[in-house]
């Protein structure tokens, strides 16, 4: 069983939200990507975040590379996650 978690902070570093969720059986790369998607969903579900810029940080070099890769060149295995994130 895999789990994800994260911390949302404001521009001053103040914690505004913590999250932790069980996501079932996933590999580490998929879990990292789902964590970023969840963080973005939580961020934009907040009324005070409408129209604001967001910075996402991750310790997963794979996840960062995949997000920056053009859609036609992404790994097919994770294509459903990219659709979820868009």
């Amino acid at each position: 069983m895999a789990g994800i978690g994260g911390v949302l902070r404001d521009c001053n570093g103040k914690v505004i939200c913590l999250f932790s969720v069980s996501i079932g059986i996933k590999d580490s790369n998929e879990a990292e990507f789902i964590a970023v998607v969840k963080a973005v969903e939580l961020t934009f579900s907040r009324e005070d975040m409408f129209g604001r810029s967001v910075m996402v940080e991750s310790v997963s070099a794979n996840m960062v590379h995949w997000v920056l890769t053009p859609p036609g060149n992404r790994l097919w295995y994770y294509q459903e996650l990219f659709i979820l994130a868009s």
Side-chain angles (χ1 to χ4, degrees):
M1 296 297 284
I4 61 170
V7 178
L8 304 180
R9 299 179 186 271
D10 67 13
C11 61
N12 298 312
K14 179 182 172 190
V15 174
I16 56 174
C17 179
L18 300 170
F19 69 94
S20 177
V21 180
S22 175
I23 58 169
I25 299 172
K26 307 288 184 197
D27 67 34
S28 60
N29 291 316
E30 195 171 5
E32 289 284 349
F33 197 89
I34 293 170
V36 170
V37 170
K38 186 66 171 174
V40 171
E41 287 175 347
L42 287 170
T43 298
F44 289 111
S45 70
R46 297 176 52 91
E47 287 186 26
D48 60 332
M49 291 302 296
F50 292 148
R52 300 186 69 187
S53 297
V54 177
M55 181 187 313
V56 176
E57 295 180 5
S58 174
V59 297
S60 171
N62 284 339
M63 196 283 308
V64 172
H65 174 73
W66 294 333
V67 169
L68 297 176
T69 299
N73 298 331
R74 291 183 181 147
L75 295 173
W76 65 270
Y77 180 78
Y78 296 109
Q79 195 62 31
E80 189 173 308
L81 289 176
F82 288 103
I83 293 168
L84 174 66
S86 59

